[in-house]
Amino acid sequence: MIAAASECRVSLPPVIEYDADRADLPLVVVPVSIPSMTTLLRDRLDEFAGLARVRIHTDWTDDEDVLAARMSDATVVMSTGFRASARLLERIAGRVRCITFCGTGAVSFIDLEAARRLGITICNAVHYGDNAVAEHAIALMFEHTHRVGELNARTHQGGWPGADITELSGRTLGIIGLGGIGRRVSRLAHGIGLRLLVWDRHPDAAELAALNAESAATMDEVFSRADIVSLHLALNDATRGIIGPAQLDLMRPGALLVNTARAELIEPGAMLRRLSRGDIAAAIDVTAPEPLPDDDPLRTLPNLIITPHVAWRSDRALAALVEQNVRSAVEFLKGGAYNVLV
Amino acid sequence: MIAAASECRVSLPPVIEYDADRADLPLVVVPVSIPSMTTLLRDRLDEFAGLARVRIHTDWTDDEDVLAARMSDATVVMSTGFRASARLLERIAGRVRCITFCGTGAVSFIDLEAARRLGITICNAVHYGDNAVAEHAIALMFEHTHRVGELNARTHQGGWPGADITELSGRTLGIIGLGGIGRRVSRLAHGIGLRLLVWDRHPDAAELAALNAESAATMDEVFSRADIVSLHLALNDATRGIIGPAQLDLMRPGALLVNTARAELIEPGAMLRRLSRGDIAAAIDVTAPEPLPDDDPLRTLPNLIITPHVAWRSDRALAALVEQNVRSAVEFLKGGAYNVLV
């Protein structure tokens, strides 16, 4: 979800102001941004007409002093994914009354307890990226079976590296959590011929029947029977560390673990230890922490495919996200509420 | 299709013999092989019991002198993808009476006219890899949209390279040729929410309806309207060079060309020239020639994803392939015919 080191192909001014001379209006601040979101936000600024001035900082920083200074005179802050610790929230509380968050899992980026205590409203976005993230989960599976990215890199370097591949169709995909994304992954996987074994706390019989999916009695059953296990749980107190060595040990040789949800669903260190045995593989879009430290041993594992939390960043997902965040900000300024989390 | 530089993880003897002491029986020779096919062939040797001796060379060479020497006393040759030029066929003709080919498109590897003239029966394999190749076409598309392989390589090198991605669902996929593989690609793509625009010389109305696919009146219509154009024609005199600058110029900025069929469907040099303009991309599993020379300018294009003709090499496809090739060899030895091409 973190957007540092983004690729900038467009030329943007360091700050974009909307109605800057309307000092009578409250200020909306975007303290850091990435080019794709900046462009989408800029195209929607008229929605703030008569309600607020807007100031978009188009660069990125993780420096809390800079972030605090940029937010110091804002009433509403639109977050594109910076870390809002309790300390940072305390520095801006009083003036800042609402933060919109560019995603669903705000808990990983904003100290929600501190926000509640300080009276800062937090809005998130929902289902904006279900298809983008679901497709990314499938793309991670395809890189494991068909090795396109790996073989492309090697072929661009020279030679003709013959290699065997495998197929997805006919394999058993275990789905942990049948929410919006889990459902969409299931539909895509069903469409390409995977068999589905689903575990959910509240299984939806009609949905399972439509997918020709089998319902697993326990999470452990999924880990022990599936060729691929894909995690699609939200992170909360009930799910943090819900997967540990006991589950990972159940995975069969040759199996693949896919995580496009949250790294913290798995006990710290458990995935590294299981992968180090070398008989299973994993493909993940999420780590803890993010960004992953350069010396993290995960980076050295040959049986781990890692993408840097990009699954949510599709063109369509970003457009839906910005639309929801702008609506949350506008509704808050009008005294209403949209997608209020805290 | 060429299997050079294969990855060897298993330890195999240089030559595997079956019933070597039965000099009364004709000899079947596998002059070069790759580990995965060697293992599959070895497991089926009993099918030759009482019919032939078998000798499998487990290494790889493109040296015609070595190939000719290895085939010099064979009645049946099982090809795992070496080049059989007219000159090589002339050297082995008389003794060798049948060659089984490990794929469908034998024309790219064996001089079929020379084989016909020399009285050598050529058998191929059909539909063995339809799903493997179709999945590979989809995997090439996913690497273009979700960039998993590229971002994985960069993340393993360090850093946290934020990047935007795109989605496949909702895009229009143009299918050129609705044979076995084109049909399977269409089904997979339909399952993941792509819209289909199909061109085929003999469109199958029922199949198109089942896929909710639109039939294009001309090939040019597909090139001008589709977000992704995927080639699935067999290579023959009617299709060689069927796609030229006129078609490629019709492709829209941002469009993607996918080729898992044969490079020779496109006029020599036309794809390189079109890609050099930078506004479209391509993802291919086939080149001309194969292996691609190390100094070929295609290797330097940032908007080209290349895999080294591996789409056919899945575990299941190889198993089906070996099964068909063994059956062709056995039937020939019994005086019958199976999958006879020439």
Side-chain angles (χ1 to χ4, degrees):
Chain A
M1 186 72 66
I2 203 85
S6 121
E7 300 180 334
C8 182
R9 291 203 191 82
V10 288
S11 178
L12 290 164
V15 177
I16 294 170
E17 300 264 9
Y18 177 77
D19 273 357
D21 54 346
R22 290 291 302 274
D24 59 311
L25 294 177
L27 178 65
V28 174
V29 165
V30 181
V32 287
S33 192
I34 57 175
S36 47
M37 289 186 82
T38 300
T39 310
L40 290 161
L41 278 162
R42 191 181 48 187
D43 292 348
R44 289 188 165 272
L45 289 176
D46 281 340
E47 297 184 36
F48 292 98
L51 282 171
R53 297 170 287 152
V54 184
R55 185 181 303 144
I56 305 172
H57 296 269
T58 64
D59 61 343
W60 191 273
T61 178
D62 294 310
D63 184 318
E64 281 204 355
D65 290 336
V66 176
L67 289 166
R70 289 180 176 185
M71 297 188 282
S72 61
D73 50 353
T75 300
V76 174
V77 166
M78 300 184 72
S79 162
T80 56
F82 64 88
R83 303 272 155 188
S85 64
R87 194 180 51 202
L88 180 56
L89 293 176
E90 279 156 11
R91 289 173 73 172
I92 61 174
R95 170 68 81 161
V96 173
R97 293 178 45 227
C98 173
I99 301 176
T100 67
F101 176 71
C102 67
T104 306
V107 66
S108 302
F109 292 82
I110 300 174
D111 188 320
L112 298 180
E113 275 313 306
R116 191 174 281 118
R117 173 167 51 81
L118 295 165
I120 302 174
T121 298
I122 306 293
C123 305
N124 70 350
V126 294
H127 296 304
Y128 69 94
D130 286 2
N131 188 67
V133 176
E135 282 196 10
H136 201 77
I138 301 286
L140 287 167
M141 296 173 206
F142 269 121
E143 178 61 19
H144 175 71
T145 53
H146 288 260
R147 307 167 63 178
V148 167
E150 173 205 338
L151 293 169
N152 176 44
R154 289 167 59 186
T155 307
H156 272 275
Q157 285 158 19
W160 196 247
D164 294 333
I165 62 170
T166 55
E167 296 174 44
L168 276 179
S169 171
R171 305 271 188 118
T172 297
L173 172 62
I175 298 280
I176 306 288
L178 200 63
I181 296 173
R183 235 168 252 250
R184 185 68 191 151
V185 171
S186 299
R187 290 209 166 266
L188 298 175
H190 179 59
I192 54 179
L194 285 146
R195 286 192 294 251
L196 293 166
L197 177 62
V198 174
W199 179 81
D200 190 87
R201 270 177 211 281
H202 308 287
D204 176 336
E207 180 74 18
L208 291 172
L211 296 164
N212 199 24
E214 187 182 350
S215 182
T218 63
M219 203 169 69
D220 285 8
E221 185 187 344
V222 175
F223 278 90
S224 61
R225 286 181 50 204
D227 299 306
I228 304 167
V229 178
S230 195
L231 308 183
H232 301 290
L233 296 169
L235 182 65
N236 54 45
D237 290 344
T239 61
R240 188 176 298 271
I242 195 173
I243 294 151
Q247 284 71 41
L248 300 181
D249 282 351
L250 293 171
M251 292 182 75
R252 309 185 321 187
L256 174 71
L257 176 68
V258 175
N259 193 357
T260 53
R262 283 291 184 270
E264 296 85 349
L265 296 171
I266 306 172
E267 281 182 32
M271 188 179 72
L272 172 65
R273 282 193 300 275
R274 181 67 183 85
L275 288 175
S276 297
R277 281 159 52 190
D279 64 325
I280 70 161
I284 62 175
D285 187 50
V286 288
T287 61
E290 288 178 8
L292 192 66
D294 273 352
D295 62 351
D296 193 293
L298 287 178
R299 294 201 194 250
T300 65
L301 292 176
N303 52 339
L304 176 64
I305 294 164
I306 314 176
T307 55
H309 210 154
V310 299
W312 66 290
R313 279 179 66 172
S314 84
D315 47 352
R316 276 192 297 179
L318 288 171
L321 185 58
V322 168
E323 185 185 353
Q324 288 189 40
N325 279 179
V326 167
R327 184 163 167 202
S328 287
V330 164
E331 289 298 322
F332 182 85
L333 289 163
K334 286 181 177 172
Y338 180 71
N339 281 352
V340 171
L341 189 66
V342 166
Chain B
M1 185 74 67
I2 203 86
S6 120
E7 300 180 335
C8 183
R9 291 204 191 83
V10 286
S11 179
L12 290 164
V15 177
I16 295 170
E17 300 263 9
Y18 177 77
D19 272 358
D21 53 347
R22 290 290 303 275
D24 58 311
L25 295 177
L27 178 66
V28 174
V29 166
V30 181
V32 287
S33 191
I34 57 175
S36 46
M37 290 186 81
T38 301
T39 310
L40 290 161
L41 278 163
R42 191 182 48 186
D43 292 347
R44 289 187 164 272
L45 289 175
D46 280 340
E47 298 184 36
F48 291 98
L51 281 171
R53 298 170 286 152
V54 184
R55 184 182 304 146
I56 305 172
H57 296 268
T58 64
D59 62 343
W60 191 272
T61 178
D62 295 310
D63 184 318
E64 282 204 356
D65 290 335
V66 176
L67 288 167
R70 288 180 176 185
M71 297 188 282
S72 61
D73 49 354
T75 300
V76 174
V77 166
M78 300 184 71
S79 161
T80 56
F82 64 88
R83 303 273 154 189
S85 64
R87 192 181 52 202
L88 180 57
L89 293 176
E90 280 156 10
R91 290 173 72 172
I92 61 174
R95 169 69 82 163
V96 172
R97 294 177 45 227
C98 171
I99 300 176
T100 68
F101 176 71
C102 66
T104 306
V107 66
S108 301
F109 292 82
I110 300 174
D111 189 320
L112 298 180
E113 275 315 306
R116 191 174 282 118
R117 173 167 51 82
L118 296 164
I120 302 175
T121 297
I122 306 293
C123 304
N124 70 350
V126 294
H127 297 303
Y128 69 94
D130 286 2
N131 187 68
V133 177
E135 283 195 10
H136 201 76
I138 301 286
L140 287 166
M141 295 174 206
F142 269 122
E143 178 62 20
H144 175 72
T145 53
H146 288 260
R147 306 166 63 178
V148 167
E150 173 204 338
L151 293 170
N152 177 44
R154 290 167 58 187
T155 307
H156 272 275
Q157 285 158 19
W160 196 246
D164 294 333
I165 62 169
T166 55
E167 296 174 45
L168 276 180
S169 172
R171 306 270 189 117
T172 297
L173 172 62
I175 299 280
I176 306 288
L178 200 63
I181 296 173
R183 233 168 253 252
R184 184 68 191 151
V185 171
S186 299
R187 289 208 166 266
L188 297 176
H190 180 59
I192 55 179
L194 286 146
R195 286 192 293 251
L196 293 166
L197 177 63
V198 175
W199 180 80
D200 190 88
R201 270 178 212 281
H202 308 287
D204 176 337
E207 180 74 18
L208 291 172
L211 296 164
N212 198 24
E214 188 182 347
S215 181
T218 63
M219 204 168 68
D220 285 7
E221 185 187 344
V222 175
F223 278 90
S224 62
R225 285 181 51 202
D227 299 306
I228 305 166
V229 178
S230 195
L231 308 183
H232 301 289
L233 296 169
L235 181 65
N236 53 47
D237 289 345
T239 62
R240 188 177 299 271
I242 195 173
I243 294 152
Q247 285 70 42
L248 299 182
D249 282 351
L250 293 171
M251 291 182 76
R252 310 185 322 188
L256 174 71
L257 176 69
V258 175
N259 193 356
T260 53
R262 282 290 184 270
E264 295 87 348
L265 296 170
I266 306 173
E267 282 181 31
M271 187 179 74
L272 172 65
R273 284 193 298 275
R274 182 66 183 88
L275 289 175
S276 296
R277 281 159 51 189
D279 64 325
I280 70 160
I284 62 175
D285 187 50
V286 288
T287 61
E290 288 177 9
L292 193 65
D294 273 353
D295 61 352
D296 193 293
L298 287 178
R299 293 201 195 249
T300 66
L301 292 176
N303 51 341
L304 177 64
I305 295 164
I306 314 176
T307 54
H309 211 154
V310 299
W312 65 290
R313 280 180 65 171
S314 83
D315 47 352
R316 276 192 296 179
L318 288 171
L321 185 58
V322 168
E323 185 184 353
Q324 289 188 40
N325 279 180
V326 167
R327 186 165 165 200
S328 288
V330 165
E331 289 299 322
F332 181 84
L333 290 162
K334 286 181 177 172
Y338 180 71
N339 282 351
V340 171
L341 189 67
V342 165

